[in-house]
């Protein structure tokens, strides 16, 4: 039986190789054999204030990146979250069933709000909107990076809680899908922190649209250690282990083979080769991105995707409104 797959990426700049290797790569792999819906989650992006013009550009950038990495609108539904009003509606319904206690335990909220009384309520409710995104489509599988694990767990808890109150057939209880390698790519300047779009140091990440010179600089300057051995050891050699992971997923060579290949060879050569592998993988994505971004078809693709997504969402929303006794239509 084909499964319903749903996932999303926030339209902020600097989409990086962590986003690609942890999430986007899975999106592409899944689209041939499943019923996939991929969203650009713009409502999530406004939990922190955004310049409207930049937000609009970022939405189109992520849409173009989706297509550039290989998503095919003939196979997958690709759309922008705020074009389907069911996301916000279902988020409200779920919020009425989510506990403030469980939301205050979300690590992303704790990190971003830093206990401030003026943290926006949207930042607090963010994981509920994410649960709504997923449950709105009766999704079975959610391909994401490791950092979303807690949010997926909350989604499952909410689905089960509502099902217990309103009937087992209200929501499909989804599962996260995490890759063995690539689910958590670390920052290049600090391999104890995850690679992030918002870190201040641009050399902490490789963005999918970075040119060869920037890729080279970030890899050559990346933090390693001083023992000179190319060995996978997350605890004692987090920097080298992170580079090995990136090398392995971009090249398709198992980490154990890379360790053998680089036995007795220094970090310089290893890093130089990794620059080549990474540049080689990103160049075609960058080229396709430029073409797609300049073509006039992107907006039509997104409008068509929104229509199809809305149809799928309405099926679930009618069922949910009915279960809760909402509306009279
Ligand atoms: P976002 O936009 O921060 O990240 C998009 C995807 O990239 C993954 N990711 C990583 N994977 C490996 N290594 C990293 N360093 C790394 N950094 C990010 C994320 O896990 C994610 O899969 N809340 C989500 C967006 C969202 C969503 C959803 C996802 C909203 N609604 C519904 C799935 C289903 C987020 O902020 O992702």
């Amino acid at each position: 039986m084909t499964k319903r797959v749903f996932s999303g990426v926030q339209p902020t700049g600097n989409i990086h190789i962590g986003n690609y290797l942890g999430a986007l790569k899975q999106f592409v792999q899944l689209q041939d054999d499943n019923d996939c819906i991929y969203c650009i989650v713009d409502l999530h992006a406004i939990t922190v204030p955004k310049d409207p013009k930049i937000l609009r550009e970022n939405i189109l950038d992520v849409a173009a990146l989706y297509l550039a990495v290989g998503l095919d609108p003939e196979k997958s539904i690709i759309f922008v979250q705020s074009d389907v009003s069911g996301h916000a509606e279902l988020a409200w319904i779920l919020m009425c069933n989510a506990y403030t206690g469980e939301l205050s335990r979300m690590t992303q909220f704790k990190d971003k709000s830093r206990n401030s009384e003026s943290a926006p309520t949207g930042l607090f409710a963010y994981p509920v909107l994410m649960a709504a995104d997923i449950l709105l489509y009766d999704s079975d599988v959610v391909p994401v990076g490791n950092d979303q694990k807690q949010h997926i767990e909350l989604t499952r808890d909410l689905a089960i809680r509502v099902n217990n109150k309103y009937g087992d057939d209200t929501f499909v209880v989804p599962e996260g899908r995490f890759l063995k390698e690539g689910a958590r790519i670390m920052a290049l300047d600090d391999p104890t922190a995850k690679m992030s779009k918002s870190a201040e140091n641009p050399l902490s990440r490789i963005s999918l649209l970075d040119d060869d010179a920037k890729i080279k600089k970030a890899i050559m300057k990346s933090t390693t250690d001083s023992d000179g051995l190319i060995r996978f050891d997350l605890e004692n050699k987090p920097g080298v282990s992170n580079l090995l992971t990136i090398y392995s997923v971009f090249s398709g060579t198992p980490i154990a083979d890379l360790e053998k290949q680089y036995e007795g060879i220094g970090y310089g050569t290893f890093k130089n080769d990794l620059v080549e592998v990474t540049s080689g993988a990103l160049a075609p994505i960058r080229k396709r991105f430029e073409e797609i971004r300049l073509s006039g078809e992107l907006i039509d693709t997104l409008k068509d995707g929104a229509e199809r997504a809305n149809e799928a969402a309405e099926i679930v929303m009618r069922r949910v409104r009915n279960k809760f006794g909402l509306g009279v239509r």
Side-chain angles (χ1 to χ4, degrees), residues 6-12 15-16 18-23 27 41 44 81 108 126 129-130 133-134 142-148 151-152 182-186 194-197:
F6 180 93
S7 197
V9 174
Q10 283 198 57
T12 42
I15 302 293
H16 51 67
N19 301 124
Y20 176 62
L21 299 175
F27 296 4
V41 290
H44 280 87
Q81 186 184 31
Q108 284 202 356
Y126 175 113
L129 178 59
M130 177 161 162
D133 298 340
I134 296 167
V142 187
V144 280
N146 266 359
D147 62 334
Q148 299 300 319
H151 293 158
I152 302 286
R184 191 171 177 82
I185 299 294
M186 309 309 280
K194 75 166 184 179
M195 185 176 285
S196 103
K197 299 171 189 163

mmCIF file of all heavy atoms in Angstrom, residues 6-12 15-16 18-23 27 41 44 81 108 126 129-130 133-134 142-148 151-152 182-186 194-197, ligand 1:
data_model
loop_
_atom_site.group_PDB
_atom_site.id
_atom_site.type_symbol
_atom_site.label_atom_id
_atom_site.label_comp_id
_atom_site.label_asym_id
_atom_site.label_seq_id
_atom_site.Cartn_x
_atom_site.Cartn_y
_atom_site.Cartn_z
ATOM 1 N N PHE A 6 4.525 13.292 4.507
ATOM 2 C CA PHE A 6 4.461 14.755 4.594
ATOM 3 C C PHE A 6 5.719 15.290 5.271
ATOM 4 O O PHE A 6 6.204 14.731 6.250
ATOM 5 C CB PHE A 6 3.239 15.216 5.419
ATOM 6 C CG PHE A 6 3.151 16.715 5.511
ATOM 7 C CD1 PHE A 6 2.403 17.429 4.590
ATOM 8 C CD2 PHE A 6 3.862 17.420 6.475
ATOM 9 C CE1 PHE A 6 2.355 18.819 4.627
ATOM 10 C CE2 PHE A 6 3.825 18.812 6.532
ATOM 11 C CZ PHE A 6 3.058 19.510 5.605
ATOM 12 N N SER A 7 6.263 16.397 4.735
ATOM 13 C CA SER A 7 7.309 17.096 5.464
ATOM 14 C C SER A 7 7.366 18.544 4.996
ATOM 15 O O SER A 7 6.710 18.930 4.031
ATOM 16 C CB SER A 7 8.665 16.416 5.303
ATOM 17 O OG SER A 7 9.545 16.881 6.317
ATOM 18 N N GLY A 8 8.162 19.336 5.719
ATOM 19 C CA GLY A 8 8.256 20.754 5.381
ATOM 20 C C GLY A 8 9.601 21.345 5.760
ATOM 21 O O GLY A 8 10.338 20.786 6.579
ATOM 22 N N VAL A 9 9.911 22.465 5.137
ATOM 23 C CA VAL A 9 11.133 23.211 5.438
ATOM 24 C C VAL A 9 10.740 24.677 5.597
ATOM 25 O O VAL A 9 9.897 25.190 4.859
ATOM 26 C CB VAL A 9 12.164 23.069 4.286
ATOM 27 C CG1 VAL A 9 13.380 23.964 4.521
ATOM 28 C CG2 VAL A 9 12.607 21.614 4.142
ATOM 29 N N GLN A 10 11.350 25.342 6.567
ATOM 30 C CA GLN A 10 11.053 26.759 6.776
ATOM 31 C C GLN A 10 11.729 27.613 5.714
ATOM 32 O O GLN A 10 12.905 27.394 5.412
ATOM 33 C CB GLN A 10 11.595 27.204 8.126
ATOM 34 C CG GLN A 10 10.766 26.765 9.286
ATOM 35 C CD GLN A 10 11.102 27.579 10.523
ATOM 36 O OE1 GLN A 10 11.016 28.798 10.526
ATOM 37 N NE2 GLN A 10 11.500 26.903 11.564
ATOM 38 N N PRO A 11 10.999 28.613 5.207
ATOM 39 C CA PRO A 11 11.605 29.498 4.208
ATOM 40 C C PRO A 11 12.463 30.574 4.841
ATOM 41 O O PRO A 11 12.077 31.734 4.907
ATOM 42 C CB PRO A 11 10.389 30.092 3.490
ATOM 43 C CG PRO A 11 9.314 30.101 4.525
ATOM 44 C CD PRO A 11 9.578 28.924 5.426
ATOM 45 N N THR A 12 13.593 30.146 5.383
ATOM 46 C CA THR A 12 14.586 31.113 5.835
ATOM 47 C C THR A 12 15.757 30.942 4.875
ATOM 48 O O THR A 12 15.843 29.908 4.216
ATOM 49 C CB THR A 12 15.046 30.786 7.272
ATOM 50 O OG1 THR A 12 15.218 29.374 7.353
ATOM 51 C CG2 THR A 12 14.021 31.202 8.288
ATOM 52 N N ILE A 15 19.558 27.632 3.395
ATOM 53 C CA ILE A 15 19.271 26.199 3.445
ATOM 54 C C ILE A 15 20.611 25.483 3.221
ATOM 55 O O ILE A 15 21.319 25.761 2.253
ATOM 56 C CB ILE A 15 18.262 25.796 2.336
ATOM 57 C CG1 ILE A 15 16.965 26.582 2.469
ATOM 58 C CG2 ILE A 15 18.010 24.285 2.359
ATOM 59 C CD1 ILE A 15 16.138 26.290 3.669
ATOM 60 N N HIS A 16 20.954 24.580 4.151
ATOM 61 C CA HIS A 16 22.333 24.066 4.156
ATOM 62 C C HIS A 16 22.390 22.554 3.927
ATOM 63 O O HIS A 16 21.345 21.896 3.807
ATOM 64 C CB HIS A 16 23.024 24.464 5.463
ATOM 65 C CG HIS A 16 22.226 24.103 6.693
ATOM 66 N ND1 HIS A 16 21.991 22.800 7.061
ATOM 67 C CD2 HIS A 16 21.598 24.881 7.605
ATOM 68 C CE1 HIS A 16 21.268 22.787 8.171
ATOM 69 N NE2 HIS A 16 21.010 24.034 8.517
ATOM 70 N N GLY A 18 22.998 20.271 5.916
ATOM 71 C CA GLY A 18 22.303 19.507 6.969
ATOM 72 C C GLY A 18 20.848 19.303 6.572
ATOM 73 O O GLY A 18 20.316 18.188 6.647
ATOM 74 N N ASN A 19 20.196 20.375 6.122
ATOM 75 C CA ASN A 19 18.805 20.262 5.665
ATOM 76 C C ASN A 19 18.709 19.278 4.498
ATOM 77 O O ASN A 19 17.769 18.491 4.403
ATOM 78 C CB ASN A 19 18.261 21.618 5.191
ATOM 79 C CG ASN A 19 18.301 22.696 6.257
ATOM 80 O OD1 ASN A 19 18.881 23.755 6.056
ATOM 81 N ND2 ASN A 19 17.705 22.446 7.410
ATOM 82 N N TYR A 20 19.706 19.343 3.634
ATOM 83 C CA TYR A 20 19.688 18.476 2.450
ATOM 84 C C TYR A 20 19.895 17.007 2.844
ATOM 85 O O TYR A 20 19.106 16.136 2.493
ATOM 86 C CB TYR A 20 20.762 18.937 1.457
ATOM 87 C CG TYR A 20 20.864 18.038 0.246
ATOM 88 C CD1 TYR A 20 19.785 17.892 -0.621
ATOM 89 C CD2 TYR A 20 22.033 17.328 -0.024
ATOM 90 C CE1 TYR A 20 19.860 17.055 -1.723
ATOM 91 C CE2 TYR A 20 22.123 16.491 -1.127
ATOM 92 C CZ TYR A 20 21.031 16.355 -1.972
ATOM 93 O OH TYR A 20 21.107 15.513 -3.047
ATOM 94 N N LEU A 21 20.961 16.762 3.609
ATOM 95 C CA LEU A 21 21.311 15.366 3.905
ATOM 96 C C LEU A 21 20.360 14.736 4.923
ATOM 97 O O LEU A 21 20.112 13.537 4.879
ATOM 98 C CB LEU A 21 22.761 15.284 4.397
ATOM 99 C CG LEU A 21 23.805 15.770 3.369
ATOM 100 C CD1 LEU A 21 25.198 15.782 3.984
ATOM 101 C CD2 LEU A 21 23.782 14.911 2.105
ATOM 102 N N GLY A 22 19.811 15.560 5.834
ATOM 103 C CA GLY A 22 18.888 15.019 6.834
ATOM 104 C C GLY A 22 17.461 14.880 6.312
ATOM 105 O O GLY A 22 16.748 13.954 6.686
ATOM 106 N N ALA A 23 17.048 15.812 5.440
ATOM 107 C CA ALA A 23 15.634 15.837 5.057
ATOM 108 C C ALA A 23 15.406 15.768 3.541
ATOM 109 O O ALA A 23 14.821 14.811 3.041
ATOM 110 C CB ALA A 23 14.992 17.100 5.636
ATOM 111 N N PHE A 27 13.235 13.235 0.969
ATOM 112 C CA PHE A 27 12.012 13.628 0.249
ATOM 113 C C PHE A 27 12.064 13.039 -1.170
ATOM 114 O O PHE A 27 11.084 12.501 -1.668
ATOM 115 C CB PHE A 27 11.890 15.151 0.099
ATOM 116 C CG PHE A 27 11.753 15.966 1.359
ATOM 117 C CD1 PHE A 27 11.815 15.392 2.618
ATOM 118 C CD2 PHE A 27 11.552 17.343 1.273
ATOM 119 C CE1 PHE A 27 11.695 16.169 3.764
ATOM 120 C CE2 PHE A 27 11.419 18.124 2.407
ATOM 121 C CZ PHE A 27 11.506 17.548 3.647
ATOM 122 N N VAL A 41 6.967 25.890 4.824
ATOM 123 C CA VAL A 41 6.160 26.250 5.994
ATOM 124 C C VAL A 41 6.369 27.717 6.391
ATOM 125 O O VAL A 41 7.036 28.033 7.368
ATOM 126 C CB VAL A 41 6.407 25.275 7.185
ATOM 127 C CG1 VAL A 41 5.828 23.898 6.871
ATOM 128 C CG2 VAL A 41 7.883 25.131 7.513
ATOM 129 N N HIS A 44 5.388 28.999 9.929
ATOM 130 C CA HIS A 44 6.382 28.734 10.970
ATOM 131 C C HIS A 44 7.468 29.811 10.988
ATOM 132 O O HIS A 44 8.058 30.091 12.030
ATOM 133 C CB HIS A 44 7.043 27.371 10.745
ATOM 134 C CG HIS A 44 6.213 26.232 11.229
ATOM 135 N ND1 HIS A 44 5.262 25.618 10.468
ATOM 136 C CD2 HIS A 44 6.188 25.600 12.423
ATOM 137 C CE1 HIS A 44 4.684 24.652 11.160
ATOM 138 N NE2 HIS A 44 5.233 24.613 12.351
ATOM 139 N N GLN A 81 2.505 26.623 2.800
ATOM 140 C CA GLN A 81 1.597 26.363 3.928
ATOM 141 C C GLN A 81 0.436 27.357 4.025
ATOM 142 O O GLN A 81 -0.723 26.955 4.161
ATOM 143 C CB GLN A 81 2.438 26.427 5.213
ATOM 144 C CG GLN A 81 1.745 26.060 6.490
ATOM 145 C CD GLN A 81 2.680 26.267 7.673
ATOM 146 O OE1 GLN A 81 3.546 27.148 7.644
ATOM 147 N NE2 GLN A 81 2.533 25.462 8.697
ATOM 148 N N GLN A 108 13.355 23.260 21.705
ATOM 149 C CA GLN A 108 13.533 24.413 20.803
ATOM 150 C C GLN A 108 12.919 25.676 21.404
ATOM 151 O O GLN A 108 13.467 26.765 21.270
ATOM 152 C CB GLN A 108 12.927 24.120 19.426
ATOM 153 C CG GLN A 108 13.816 23.196 18.613
ATOM 154 C CD GLN A 108 13.575 23.289 17.099
ATOM 155 O OE1 GLN A 108 12.692 23.992 16.612
ATOM 156 N NE2 GLN A 108 14.379 22.561 16.353
ATOM 157 N N TYR A 126 4.357 26.775 18.307
ATOM 158 C CA TYR A 126 4.962 26.282 17.061
ATOM 159 C C TYR A 126 4.846 24.762 16.875
ATOM 160 O O TYR A 126 4.422 24.301 15.814
ATOM 161 C CB TYR A 126 6.424 26.749 17.078
ATOM 162 C CG TYR A 126 7.333 26.289 15.985
ATOM 163 C CD1 TYR A 126 7.834 27.207 15.055
ATOM 164 C CD2 TYR A 126 7.744 24.963 15.883
ATOM 165 C CE1 TYR A 126 8.698 26.800 14.051
ATOM 166 C CE2 TYR A 126 8.598 24.558 14.886
ATOM 167 C CZ TYR A 126 9.080 25.474 13.972
ATOM 168 O OH TYR A 126 9.923 25.068 12.986
ATOM 169 N N LEU A 129 1.438 23.745 15.638
ATOM 170 C CA LEU A 129 1.225 24.018 14.208
ATOM 171 C C LEU A 129 1.893 22.926 13.382
ATOM 172 O O LEU A 129 1.346 22.454 12.382
ATOM 173 C CB LEU A 129 1.798 25.403 13.842
ATOM 174 C CG LEU A 129 1.696 25.816 12.372
ATOM 175 C CD1 LEU A 129 0.243 25.842 11.883
ATOM 176 C CD2 LEU A 129 2.331 27.204 12.148
ATOM 177 N N MET A 130 3.055 22.495 13.823
ATOM 178 C CA MET A 130 3.744 21.418 13.103
ATOM 179 C C MET A 130 2.926 20.114 13.162
ATOM 180 O O MET A 130 2.813 19.398 12.169
ATOM 181 C CB MET A 130 5.146 21.217 13.687
ATOM 182 C CG MET A 130 5.884 20.074 13.057
ATOM 183 S SD MET A 130 7.666 20.185 13.339
ATOM 184 C CE MET A 130 8.125 18.497 12.976
ATOM 185 N N ASP A 133 0.188 20.446 10.673
ATOM 186 C CA ASP A 133 0.679 20.228 9.297
ATOM 187 C C ASP A 133 0.615 18.735 8.950
ATOM 188 O O ASP A 133 0.190 18.345 7.872
ATOM 189 C CB ASP A 133 2.153 20.644 9.159
ATOM 190 C CG ASP A 133 2.397 22.117 9.439
ATOM 191 O OD1 ASP A 133 1.433 22.898 9.365
ATOM 192 O OD2 ASP A 133 3.556 22.469 9.748
ATOM 193 N N ILE A 134 1.075 17.942 9.899
ATOM 194 C CA ILE A 134 1.224 16.502 9.648
ATOM 195 C C ILE A 134 -0.135 15.795 9.676
ATOM 196 O O ILE A 134 -0.475 15.031 8.777
ATOM 197 C CB ILE A 134 2.180 15.893 10.709
ATOM 198 C CG1 ILE A 134 3.576 16.505 10.563
ATOM 199 C CG2 ILE A 134 2.216 14.370 10.610
ATOM 200 C CD1 ILE A 134 4.513 16.234 11.741
ATOM 201 N N VAL A 142 6.880 10.814 8.240
ATOM 202 C CA VAL A 142 7.390 12.186 8.226
ATOM 203 C C VAL A 142 8.921 12.160 8.177
ATOM 204 O O VAL A 142 9.583 11.948 9.199
ATOM 205 C CB VAL A 142 6.907 12.959 9.483
ATOM 206 C CG1 VAL A 142 7.294 14.427 9.379
ATOM 207 C CG2 VAL A 142 5.411 12.822 9.676
ATOM 208 N N PRO A 143 9.517 12.354 7.000
ATOM 209 C CA PRO A 143 10.977 12.351 6.898
ATOM 210 C C PRO A 143 11.567 13.668 7.421
ATOM 211 O O PRO A 143 11.246 14.740 6.907
ATOM 212 C CB PRO A 143 11.228 12.219 5.383
ATOM 213 C CG PRO A 143 9.987 12.729 4.721
ATOM 214 C CD PRO A 143 8.854 12.527 5.696
ATOM 215 N N VAL A 144 12.397 13.587 8.432
ATOM 216 C CA VAL A 144 12.999 14.776 9.058
ATOM 217 C C VAL A 144 14.385 14.448 9.619
ATOM 218 O O VAL A 144 14.765 13.280 9.698
ATOM 219 C CB VAL A 144 12.137 15.317 10.240
ATOM 220 C CG1 VAL A 144 10.972 16.149 9.763
ATOM 221 C CG2 VAL A 144 11.663 14.190 11.132
ATOM 222 N N GLY A 145 15.093 15.481 10.042
ATOM 223 C CA GLY A 145 16.348 15.309 10.753
ATOM 224 C C GLY A 145 16.069 15.033 12.230
ATOM 225 O O GLY A 145 14.943 15.223 12.706
ATOM 226 N N ASN A 146 17.116 14.628 12.934
ATOM 227 C CA ASN A 146 16.988 14.262 14.357
ATOM 228 C C ASN A 146 16.446 15.369 15.250
ATOM 229 O O ASN A 146 15.808 15.088 16.255
ATOM 230 C CB ASN A 146 18.375 13.901 14.906
ATOM 231 C CG ASN A 146 18.614 12.426 14.812
ATOM 232 O OD1 ASN A 146 17.725 11.698 14.357
ATOM 233 N ND2 ASN A 146 19.787 11.980 15.220
ATOM 234 N N ASP A 147 16.726 16.614 14.875
ATOM 235 C CA ASP A 147 16.304 17.725 15.744
ATOM 236 C C ASP A 147 14.779 17.847 15.836
ATOM 237 O O ASP A 147 14.278 18.568 16.690
ATOM 238 C CB ASP A 147 16.927 19.051 15.275
ATOM 239 C CG ASP A 147 16.480 19.439 13.875
ATOM 240 O OD1 ASP A 147 16.117 18.541 13.088
ATOM 241 O OD2 ASP A 147 16.494 20.642 13.569
ATOM 242 N N GLN A 148 14.050 17.147 14.973
ATOM 243 C CA GLN A 148 12.580 17.233 15.005
ATOM 244 C C GLN A 148 11.934 16.089 15.787
ATOM 245 O O GLN A 148 10.714 15.981 15.846
ATOM 246 C CB GLN A 148 12.026 17.268 13.577
ATOM 247 C CG GLN A 148 12.505 18.453 12.755
ATOM 248 C CD GLN A 148 12.110 19.798 13.365
ATOM 249 O OE1 GLN A 148 10.994 19.959 13.849
ATOM 250 N NE2 GLN A 148 13.036 20.740 13.373
ATOM 251 N N HIS A 151 9.333 16.988 18.367
ATOM 252 C CA HIS A 151 8.096 17.498 17.760
ATOM 253 C C HIS A 151 7.240 16.364 17.180
ATOM 254 O O HIS A 151 6.017 16.412 17.227
ATOM 255 C CB HIS A 151 8.426 18.517 16.658
ATOM 256 C CG HIS A 151 9.052 19.776 17.172
ATOM 257 N ND1 HIS A 151 9.812 20.614 16.384
ATOM 258 C CD2 HIS A 151 9.031 20.345 18.404
ATOM 259 C CE1 HIS A 151 10.223 21.641 17.110
ATOM 260 N NE2 HIS A 151 9.772 21.495 18.337
ATOM 261 N N ILE A 152 7.910 15.352 16.644
ATOM 262 C CA ILE A 152 7.155 14.209 16.090
ATOM 263 C C ILE A 152 6.487 13.445 17.239
ATOM 264 O O ILE A 152 5.343 13.014 17.137
ATOM 265 C CB ILE A 152 8.092 13.257 15.302
ATOM 266 C CG1 ILE A 152 8.814 13.999 14.169
ATOM 267 C CG2 ILE A 152 7.331 12.037 14.787
ATOM 268 C CD1 ILE A 152 7.989 14.344 12.973
ATOM 269 N N GLY A 182 23.420 11.320 8.346
ATOM 270 C CA GLY A 182 22.938 12.584 7.793
ATOM 271 C C GLY A 182 21.833 13.203 8.625
ATOM 272 O O GLY A 182 21.466 14.357 8.425
ATOM 273 N N ALA A 183 21.289 12.457 9.603
ATOM 274 C CA ALA A 183 20.165 12.964 10.391
ATOM 275 C C ALA A 183 20.580 14.110 11.311
ATOM 276 O O ALA A 183 19.732 14.855 11.808
ATOM 277 C CB ALA A 183 19.552 11.839 11.216
ATOM 278 N N ARG A 184 21.880 14.234 11.552
ATOM 279 C CA ARG A 184 22.345 15.332 12.390
ATOM 280 C C ARG A 184 23.728 15.761 11.928
ATOM 281 O O ARG A 184 24.754 15.216 12.385
ATOM 282 C CB ARG A 184 22.358 14.907 13.864
ATOM 283 C CG ARG A 184 22.579 16.042 14.812
ATOM 284 C CD ARG A 184 22.368 15.584 16.248
ATOM 285 N NE ARG A 184 22.647 16.668 17.167
ATOM 286 C CZ ARG A 184 21.789 17.627 17.469
ATOM 287 N NH1 ARG A 184 20.607 17.646 16.958
ATOM 288 N NH2 ARG A 184 22.126 18.573 18.315
ATOM 289 N N ILE A 185 23.764 16.690 11.005
ATOM 290 C CA ILE A 185 25.045 17.227 10.527
ATOM 291 C C ILE A 185 25.435 18.363 11.473
ATOM 292 O O ILE A 185 24.616 19.211 11.828
ATOM 293 C CB ILE A 185 24.904 17.749 9.068
ATOM 294 C CG1 ILE A 185 24.484 16.606 8.117
ATOM 295 C CG2 ILE A 185 26.185 18.433 8.603
ATOM 296 C CD1 ILE A 185 25.511 15.508 7.931
ATOM 297 N N MET A 186 26.681 18.334 11.908
ATOM 298 C CA MET A 186 27.110 19.293 12.918
ATOM 299 C C MET A 186 27.750 20.534 12.288
ATOM 300 O O MET A 186 28.152 20.519 11.118
ATOM 301 C CB MET A 186 28.107 18.630 13.878
ATOM 302 C CG MET A 186 27.627 17.309 14.464
ATOM 303 S SD MET A 186 25.979 17.419 15.196
ATOM 304 C CE MET A 186 26.373 18.159 16.776
ATOM 305 N N LYS A 194 24.637 21.583 16.319
ATOM 306 C CA LYS A 194 24.162 21.169 14.988
ATOM 307 C C LYS A 194 24.333 22.310 13.992
ATOM 308 O O LYS A 194 24.302 23.491 14.373
ATOM 309 C CB LYS A 194 22.708 20.686 15.055
ATOM 310 C CG LYS A 194 21.716 21.787 15.185
ATOM 311 C CD LYS A 194 20.282 21.333 14.913
ATOM 312 C CE LYS A 194 19.415 22.592 14.998
ATOM 313 N NZ LYS A 194 18.054 22.519 14.777
ATOM 314 N N MET A 195 24.539 21.944 12.729
ATOM 315 C CA MET A 195 24.632 22.961 11.681
ATOM 316 C C MET A 195 23.290 23.675 11.613
ATOM 317 O O MET A 195 22.242 23.032 11.605
ATOM 318 C CB MET A 195 24.960 22.296 10.340
ATOM 319 C CG MET A 195 25.202 23.294 9.232
ATOM 320 S SD MET A 195 25.705 22.518 7.665
ATOM 321 C CE MET A 195 27.390 22.054 7.982
ATOM 322 N N SER A 196 23.323 25.017 11.611
ATOM 323 C CA SER A 196 22.045 25.732 11.619
ATOM 324 C C SER A 196 22.052 26.891 10.642
ATOM 325 O O SER A 196 23.112 27.432 10.300
ATOM 326 C CB SER A 196 21.724 26.188 13.049
ATOM 327 O OG SER A 196 21.993 27.563 13.198
ATOM 328 N N LYS A 197 20.814 27.255 10.205
ATOM 329 C CA LYS A 197 20.672 28.332 9.225
ATOM 330 C C LYS A 197 21.011 29.674 9.851
ATOM 331 O O LYS A 197 21.407 30.602 9.164
ATOM 332 C CB LYS A 197 19.223 28.412 8.742
ATOM 333 C CG LYS A 197 18.693 27.188 8.045
ATOM 334 C CD LYS A 197 17.179 27.369 7.850
ATOM 335 C CE LYS A 197 16.511 26.109 7.361
ATOM 336 N NZ LYS A 197 15.052 26.155 7.567
HETATM 337 P P1 LIG B 1 13.833 23.307 9.443
HETATM 338 O O1 LIG B 1 13.332 24.236 8.389
HETATM 339 O O2 LIG B 1 14.619 23.879 10.565
HETATM 340 O O3 LIG B 1 14.703 22.162 8.806
HETATM 341 C C1 LIG B 1 14.271 21.450 7.674
HETATM 342 C C2 LIG B 1 14.684 19.999 7.799
HETATM 343 O O4 LIG B 1 16.113 19.894 7.920
HETATM 344 C C3 LIG B 1 16.444 19.094 9.047
HETATM 345 N N1 LIG B 1 17.712 19.603 9.616
HETATM 346 C C4 LIG B 1 18.830 18.886 9.748
HETATM 347 N N2 LIG B 1 19.122 17.608 9.424
HETATM 348 C C5 LIG B 1 20.389 17.180 9.672
HETATM 349 N N3 LIG B 1 21.350 17.958 10.220
HETATM 350 C C6 LIG B 1 21.106 19.239 10.558
HETATM 351 N N4 LIG B 1 22.058 19.998 11.089
HETATM 352 C C7 LIG B 1 19.792 19.756 10.327
HETATM 353 N N5 LIG B 1 19.210 20.969 10.540
HETATM 354 C C8 LIG B 1 17.935 20.842 10.106
HETATM 355 C C9 LIG B 1 15.284 19.261 9.996
HETATM 356 O O5 LIG B 1 15.207 18.194 10.908
HETATM 357 C C10 LIG B 1 14.103 19.309 9.046
HETATM 358 O O6 LIG B 1 13.708 18.007 8.701
HETATM 359 N N6 LIG B 1 9.802 22.487 12.308
HETATM 360 C C11 LIG B 1 10.469 22.131 11.066
HETATM 361 C C12 LIG B 1 9.638 22.390 9.822
HETATM 362 C C13 LIG B 1 8.261 21.810 9.832
HETATM 363 C C14 LIG B 1 7.938 20.442 9.575
HETATM 364 C C15 LIG B 1 6.519 20.382 9.651
HETATM 365 C C16 LIG B 1 8.688 19.305 9.288
HETATM 366 C C17 LIG B 1 7.109 22.460 10.066
HETATM 367 N N7 LIG B 1 6.049 21.632 9.942
HETATM 368 C C18 LIG B 1 5.842 19.177 9.443
HETATM 369 C C19 LIG B 1 8.008 18.092 9.077
HETATM 370 C C20 LIG B 1 6.601 18.043 9.168
HETATM 371 C C21 LIG B 1 11.736 22.952 10.940
HETATM 372 O O7 LIG B 1 11.863 24.004 11.498
HETATM 373 O O8 LIG B 1 12.621 22.466 10.029
#
